[in-house]
Amino acid sequence: MKSTSLPNFRVQPYAELLIAFVLLCGSLPTALSLSYFYFAFGSNMASSTMVNLRNLKPIASTAAVLYDHRLAFNVPGTPFVEPSWASVEVETGSSVHGVLYKLSEEDFTRVCQTEGVPFAYRLHRCDVVPYIGNGEDAGMQADETKTIKAFTLRAGRKSWRESKDIAPSQSYVNVLLRGAKEFQLDQDYVKQLENIQCAQNVIGGGMAEKMLQFAELRNKEQ
């Protein structure tokens, strides 16, 4: 999926109330239809995850960087299968690269539902800087004054956010790398992902890649 230009869209102040309504009722009234910017940093960076696994149709997408946050693996998964899932945590001086998606309200609701908001994750407001990835240093050169207000996901429990990270599976990290390379995130950040210490006691190296491959095969056959 090619990067697409994204206008400077302001997230409505009542958005969180609307999202709560949608999670309870399943949809929004037509008159209140909105679009949202969502910053993906984990497996959702891969466009195939969004399209094939979650059955979404992003309106636009581009590489982006979130400053003063770090990539964390503090959302517990299933031991010996997928030990943990990615999150972001506030950390001054750190940065997280990912993919900024513009989504319809229906697709944004779907992201929230499939990611387990507000139990596994909670919505986190943030300002991200979009850039056109070149696989080198485009993110570092991006104009930090041109931010877009977006939502991202943070670990749903305070105890998780305050705990040590749980090593993820290699399979899960491979999906992150797939998305990072697809959108040509900065080279240094890709190397950071490649150097993540993965869990060694995981059955078959994890299930994340297999789940995505199955979804791709299923959709191909339809």
Side-chain angles (χ1 to χ4, degrees):
M1 181 180 295
K2 295 182 179 179
S3 298
T4 310
S5 60
L6 295 164
N8 194 356
F9 176 88
R10 181 175 293 277
V11 176
Q12 288 82 351
Y14 52 83
E16 289 173 335
L17 292 175
L18 288 174
I19 292 164
F21 177 88
V22 171
L23 291 175
L24 288 172
C25 301
S27 64
L28 281 174
T30 302
L32 295 178
S33 294
L34 303 170
S35 60
Y36 294 88
F37 281 125
Y38 161 64
F39 177 71
F41 48 79
S43 61
N44 285 345
M45 288 193 294
S47 62
S48 183
T49 299
M50 298 290 277
V51 174
N52 291 303
L53 190 62
R54 304 199 188 283
N55 295 314
L56 307 180
K57 296 179 180 179
I59 299 168
S61 56
T62 190
V65 57
L66 171 62
Y67 289 104
D68 293 326
H69 288 72
R70 73 174 182 89
L71 181 65
F73 292 92
N74 55 4
V75 177
T78 303
F80 310 113
V81 180
E82 285 295 346
S84 64
W85 308 109
S87 177
V88 292
E89 296 300 334
V90 176
E91 184 172 276
T92 303
S94 297
S95 60
V96 179
H97 290 248
V99 178
L100 180 64
Y101 290 101
K102 185 177 182 180
L103 302 174
S104 67
E105 60 91 2
E106 181 180 0
D107 279 356
F108 183 67
T109 300
R110 178 68 176 165
V111 168
C112 292
Q113 291 173 334
T114 57
E115 292 288 2
V117 175
F119 304 106
Y121 288 98
R122 55 175 286 191
L123 289 172
H124 180 60
R125 289 174 177 267
C126 60
D127 295 300
V128 298
V129 179
Y131 67 92
I132 305 300
N134 62 3
E136 296 179 3
D137 61 353
M140 293 295 293
Q141 304 301 323
D143 187 348
E144 295 183 27
T145 66
K146 295 182 178 179
T147 61
I148 289 181
K149 293 187 179 297
F151 283 105
T152 192
L153 300 175
R154 192 179 181 190
R157 297 185 185 180
K158 183 179 179 181
S159 59
W160 295 347
R161 298 194 292 271
E162 295 176 347
S163 300
K164 292 183 179 180
D165 283 6
I166 304 167
S169 75
Q170 184 63 62
S171 179
Y172 182 55
V173 172
N174 287 346
V175 179
L176 270 65
L177 284 166
R178 176 173 171 174
K181 293 176 180 178
E182 176 185 353
F183 284 88
Q184 296 184 289
L185 303 188
D186 280 11
Q187 186 177 44
D188 287 347
Y189 190 75
V190 173
K191 288 182 179 178
Q192 179 181 325
L193 296 179
E194 290 174 338
N195 291 330
I196 290 172
Q197 296 297 311
C198 296
Q200 300 299 313
N201 58 343
V202 176
I203 298 172
M207 294 295 295
E209 283 182 295
K210 295 181 179 66
M211 290 172 61
L212 182 53
Q213 290 167 359
F214 176 78
E216 291 171 335
L217 181 60
R218 177 196 61 200
N219 287 350
K220 185 177 180 180
E221 292 176 346
Q222 289 180 349

